[in-house]
């Protein structure tokens, strides 16, 4: 039961975090009754890449569609989008792919892992790559989680680039470094349940250990949100009215930030308390509240260009030009680390995330083509070129 609930809350949270009302791509994208988005480019001779997305709207989705569509066009493909099951249900994901499958599909790109083995068994000759998912059901060493472990040995499975860190301990260490640098000694920690997000349980446990070692107090201990926004009563607990910061290991821009803003207005939360978290929302009032003087003091976002990692591997596999040193594996994503007004201003004026303009992308088709090896490709996606400082 918990495994099934894990699949459901995983997809529900992702959709909640990044959803907005509009669906904008490179041109306009419309969704059919079968959950399929219309292709946005003229048909090419190379066929179609079918992307099973875990999102259907939002600023990051819009940017990925714009960038991915153009990248596919330069590679010689159409990009066709279908939407995975809202609960990441294996049968639902398989149905979505089946509904979008046409005879010209040459590769499948996925952003969630439910049913990945069934999908590959259904289409054994079509290469599959993933991005913005840790593919825990394939790569986890925990047999209770690795329901698709066999896929790791499928010759047409090309691995994944995660949405951030694969290891929750690394997430905690990154956030703690900011806490330490700022000299904070009284913080809050908020997360999602470990049964749904095992990596966040690791992150929370690591954060507790790091704080204990450094003498940083986690006031009231770690608080677990059952996929509901932080309640304002949180700030009425002893000692939480003047925290230095709240480290939200969950999607803090959605589940913590609005409550903090209201609590500050109501005098329940110190005006100086910062939020340390991940995620993105392009609401102007939130954007204006990021940086040294804002509520959000530290924010991480995975680059929209991550879609190019999966597309490149598919292109190599389709054309029979796979890197000699290729190994099926999963890797961390580089991240935008935003901790100043200059950083967020640059993101909102110079990146593809802000403008949905391929010309603003930090990794171009030519950059991808210049990678002579798998090691080169991985190095590119972990390089300074894909980080915030490159936007200066």
């Amino acid at each position: 039961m918990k495994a099934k609930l894990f699949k459901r809350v995983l997809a529900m949270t992702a959709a909640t975090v990044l959803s907005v009302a509009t669906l904008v791509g490179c041109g306009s994208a419309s969704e059919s009754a079968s959950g399929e988005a219309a292709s946005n480019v003229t048909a090419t001779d190379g066929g179609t890449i079918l992307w099973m997305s875990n999102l259907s709207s939002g600023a990051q989705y819009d940017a990925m569609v714009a960038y991915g569509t153009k990248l596919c066009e330069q590679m010689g493909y159409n990009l066709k989008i279908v939407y995975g099951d809202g609960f990441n249900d294996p049968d639902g994901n398989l149905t979505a792919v089946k509904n979008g499958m046409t005879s010209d599909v040459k590769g499948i790109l996925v952003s969630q892992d439910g049913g990945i083995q069934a999908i590959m068994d259904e289409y054994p000759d079509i290469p599959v790559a993933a991005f913005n998912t840790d593919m825990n059901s394939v790569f986890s060493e925990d047999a209770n989680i690795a329901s698709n472990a066999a896929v790791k040995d499928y010759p047409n499975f090309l691995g994944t680039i995660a949405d951030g860190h694969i290891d929750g301990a690394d997430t905690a260490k990154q956030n703690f470094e900011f806490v330490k640098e700022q000299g904070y000694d009284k913080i809050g920690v908020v997360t999602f349940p470990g049964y749904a997000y095992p990596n966040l349980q690791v992150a929370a446990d690591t954060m507790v250990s790091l704080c204990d070692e450094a003498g940083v107090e986690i006031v009231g201990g770690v608080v677990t949100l059952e996929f509901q926004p932080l309640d304002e009563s949180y700030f009425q607990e002893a000692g939480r009215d003047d925290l230095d910061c709240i480290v939200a290991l969950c999607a803090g821009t959605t589940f913590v930030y609005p409550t903090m803003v209201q609590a500050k207005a109501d005098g329940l939360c110190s005006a100086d308390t910062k939020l340390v978290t991940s995620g993105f929302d392009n609401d102007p009032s939130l954007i204006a509240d990021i940086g040294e003087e804002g509520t959000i003091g530290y924010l991480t976002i995975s680059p929209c260009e991550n879609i190019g990692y999966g597309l490149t591997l598919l292109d190599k596999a389709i054309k029979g030009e796979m890197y000699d040193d290729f190994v099926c594996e999963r890797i961390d994503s580089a991240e935008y680390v935003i901790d100043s007004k200059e950083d967020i201003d640059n993101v909102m004026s110079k990146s593809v995330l802000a403008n949905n303009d391929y010309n603003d992308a930090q990794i171009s088709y030519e950059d991808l083509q210049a990678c002579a090896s798998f090691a080169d490709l991985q190095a590119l996606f972990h390089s300074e070129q894909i980080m915030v400082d490159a936007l200066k």
Side-chain angles (χ1 to χ4, degrees):
M1 178 177 286
K2 285 187 176 181
K4 187 171 184 179
L5 182 57
F6 164 68
K7 297 298 183 184
R8 292 190 172 192
V9 295
L10 180 68
M12 288 173 67
T13 303
T16 302
V17 170
L18 297 173
S19 291
V20 293
T22 57
L23 176 59
V24 181
C26 181
S28 62
S30 60
E31 185 177 351
S32 71
S34 64
E36 180 180 324
S39 176
N40 294 315
V41 296
T42 303
T44 61
D45 292 336
T48 294
I49 301 295
L50 184 67
W51 172 27
M52 184 184 74
S53 174
N54 63 324
L55 303 174
S56 61
S57 60
Q60 287 183 288
Y61 171 81
D62 295 342
M64 287 186 292
V65 171
Y67 175 70
T69 297
K70 184 63 176 179
L71 201 57
C72 277
E73 183 180 356
Q74 291 186 301
M75 291 177 174
Y77 310 106
N78 297 313
L79 179 64
K80 183 179 183 180
I81 306 166
V82 296
Y83 301 110
D85 181 82
F87 298 117
N88 195 27
D89 178 73
D91 290 338
N93 286 342
L94 176 59
T95 297
V97 172
K98 283 184 174 180
N99 287 344
M101 184 60 59
T102 51
S103 61
D104 67 334
V105 170
K106 305 299 184 184
I108 300 174
L109 187 65
V110 298
S111 294
Q112 54 189 38
D113 62 353
I116 186 65
Q117 184 171 346
I119 291 168
M120 296 199 69
D121 287 344
E122 185 74 19
Y123 305 104
D125 297 325
I126 299 180
V128 175
F131 82 101
N132 280 8
T133 171
D134 57 24
M135 281 279 154
N136 259 337
S137 72
V138 175
F139 290 100
S140 176
E141 296 180 1
D142 185 339
N144 294 318
I145 296 173
S147 58
N148 296 302
V151 168
K152 195 162 43 177
D153 297 323
Y154 282 23
N156 273 338
F157 181 63
L158 307 178
T160 187
I161 183 169
D163 183 5
H165 295 291
I166 293 165
D167 188 341
D170 292 332
T171 300
K173 291 172 184 175
Q174 181 175 345
N175 289 333
F176 181 75
E177 281 303 310
F178 179 77
V179 170
K180 187 170 68 174
E181 288 171 5
Q182 298 302 310
Y184 296 156
D185 56 21
K186 185 178 178 182
I187 72 172
V189 176
V190 180
T191 189
F192 284 144
Y195 64 78
Y197 290 91
N199 288 354
L200 291 188
Q201 184 64 60
V202 173
D205 292 344
T206 304
M207 181 63 70
V208 170
S209 295
L210 291 170
C211 287
D212 284 347
E213 292 172 7
V216 175
E217 180 185 5
I218 300 177
V219 179
V222 176
V223 171
T224 300
L225 300 180
E226 291 288 340
F227 309 103
Q228 297 292 327
L230 182 68
D231 193 87
E232 200 173 74
S233 62
Y234 173 89
F235 296 100
Q236 296 174 328
E237 298 293 330
R240 288 185 178 148
D241 58 341
D242 64 345
L243 296 172
D244 291 321
C245 77
I246 296 176
V247 177
L249 300 171
C250 53
T253 51
T254 295
F255 288 87
V256 178
Y257 174 75
T259 304
M260 286 185 67
V261 171
Q262 187 60 53
K264 286 185 177 185
D266 294 340
L268 299 175
C269 175
S270 169
D272 296 327
T273 301
K274 300 293 186 181
L275 178 61
V276 177
T277 193
S278 60
F280 185 71
D281 187 326
N282 61 357
D283 177 81
S285 61
L286 184 146
I287 295 299
D289 205 13
I290 297 174
E292 301 93 334
E293 304 301 320
T295 296
I296 302 175
Y298 186 89
L299 182 68
T300 58
I301 309 169
S302 294
C304 295
E305 288 88 345
N306 277 359
I307 191 174
Y309 180 87
L311 288 175
T312 299
L313 292 178
L314 287 175
D315 184 46
K316 292 292 183 182
I318 292 166
K319 294 175 179 174
E321 301 171 353
M322 184 52 73
Y323 303 112
D324 292 338
D325 60 338
F326 172 76
V327 177
C328 176
E329 60 185 353
R330 58 177 177 170
I331 66 171
D332 288 341
S333 169
E335 291 180 311
Y336 280 179
V337 175
I338 300 169
D339 58 8
S340 68
K341 187 176 186 304
E342 179 187 12
D343 286 342
I344 191 60
D345 285 349
N346 285 335
V347 169
M348 297 309 298
S349 62
K350 300 177 182 179
S351 74
V352 66
L353 179 62
N355 304 316
N356 299 335
D357 185 346
Y358 171 82
N359 293 317
D360 288 329
Q362 289 170 259
I363 292 180
S364 68
Y365 171 71
E366 289 75 19
D367 292 329
L368 296 170
Q369 289 295 104
C371 294
S373 66
F374 188 43
D376 288 347
L377 183 71
Q378 292 184 326
L380 175 62
F381 278 87
H382 288 159
S383 69
E384 294 293 331
Q385 180 174 330
I386 194 64
M387 298 182 190
V388 165
D389 286 350
L391 297 172
K392 292 181 178 179

